[in-house]
Amino acid sequence: MPLPFLSGLRVIDLGQYLPGPHAAQLLGDLGAEVVKVEPPDGDPLRVLGPSDSDGVTAAYKILTAGKTVVKLDLKTADGRAALESLLAKADALIESYRPGVMDKLGLGRERLRALNPRLVHASLSGWGYDGPYATRAGHDLNYMAVGGGLDASGLPDRPVISYLPVADFASAQQTALAVAAALFGRERSGVGCFLDLSIMETVLGWQGLNLTAAARGQTPGRGEALLSGGVACYRLYRTSDGRFITLSALEPKFWRGFCEAVGRPDWIPRQADALPQTALIEELDALFAGSTLAAWKERLDPVDCCFEALPAIAEIADHPHVAARGQLRLTPGPEPLVETLMGLRVDGGPPPQRAPWRDSDATTVLAAWTTA
């Protein structure tokens, strides 16, 4: 079952693809009733990528779980009227259109305020509602670039694309947080508000450390900062069987434990070597390349030194800690589905559960909302 914190609240999800729908899903995990409004052909995510035998992609099933789906043609008067009826009874609206689209649909801020003064309207766009890029097209990679999430990460000769899309998921979480806070504020003020959220600015909001370094002329080269690969104690290393390990022994006590465990106490004072620690890194490269991943796990798992093997994606579900915590839910069968539930447990309970998505229609939903 979902958690009870937002029970009784109604959320309209007008988003498509990933960011908006994931934000609404998180609110559903916390107890809100989420109605996803899609065009007559459905959210394009239904068919973006390989589809299951029922014609629907796994991505759509995962991101729509826990929601009731209603199809409306908002280009028609009847479709807009049906949505307006739902919005008049809703507590929050999440949409991810470019700025100006809601106005073209006749559902701009003034119209929504007239329909429902208590409505919290969250607009999660790529760039935000003003500025020269407001109506510019974009995707996660573009937002990561301009927001500062790419330049400092990756290899010395080029940035590296993160996967899954970091900006999309992060902005969804920021949107859910903002909506929950606005709903809390509404209980004090009695009125809703409009939330202008930007996928790019979610990433930008993390860049204070990097931007300060740049302003001071102290920007390290890619892969040369403390947390980007410039120190030997905080890096990925390849093993003899082509697997990888992670070492993040930043604190002296962890570095000392690691050095003693591998029989290299002479490395202990070298943690203070100047960055980038190219020579020391090469020595650790050679060390880890000398044994298999299994051998390194046997040797270092018992040591308190911030060592972890890097599991392949297919191995994560069977990781003993992941399995013990119960955040993954497997739907078995010829087309298995693995859902990642919200990583939240309250008073010792399990993560909030999600029901499968279900189709309905606006009339049925509105009738239920009217009699509730």
Side-chain angles (χ1 to χ4, degrees), residues 230-243:
V231 292
C233 65
Y234 193 89
R235 280 183 67 90
L236 287 158
Y237 291 100
R238 187 190 299 268
T239 61
S240 63
D241 52 348
R243 300 296 299 272

Side-chain angles (χ1 to χ4, degrees), residues 59 64 68 85 122-123 162 173 228 258 263 303 348:
T64 312
T68 298
S85 297
S123 180
S162 57
Q173 294 188 345
S228 70
F258 165 74
V303 181

Side-chain angles (χ1 to χ4, degrees), residues 97-104 123 125-130 134-135:
Y97 294 126
R98 296 194 213 187
V101 172
M102 291 293 287
D103 292 289
K104 290 179 181 178
S123 180
S125 60
W127 307 100
Y129 253 64
D130 54 24
T135 59

Side-chain angles (χ1 to χ4, degrees), residues 278-292:
T278 306
L280 185 56
I281 288 168
E282 289 177 354
E283 293 181 54
L284 266 75
D285 274 332
L287 173 77
F288 283 110
S291 297
T292 65

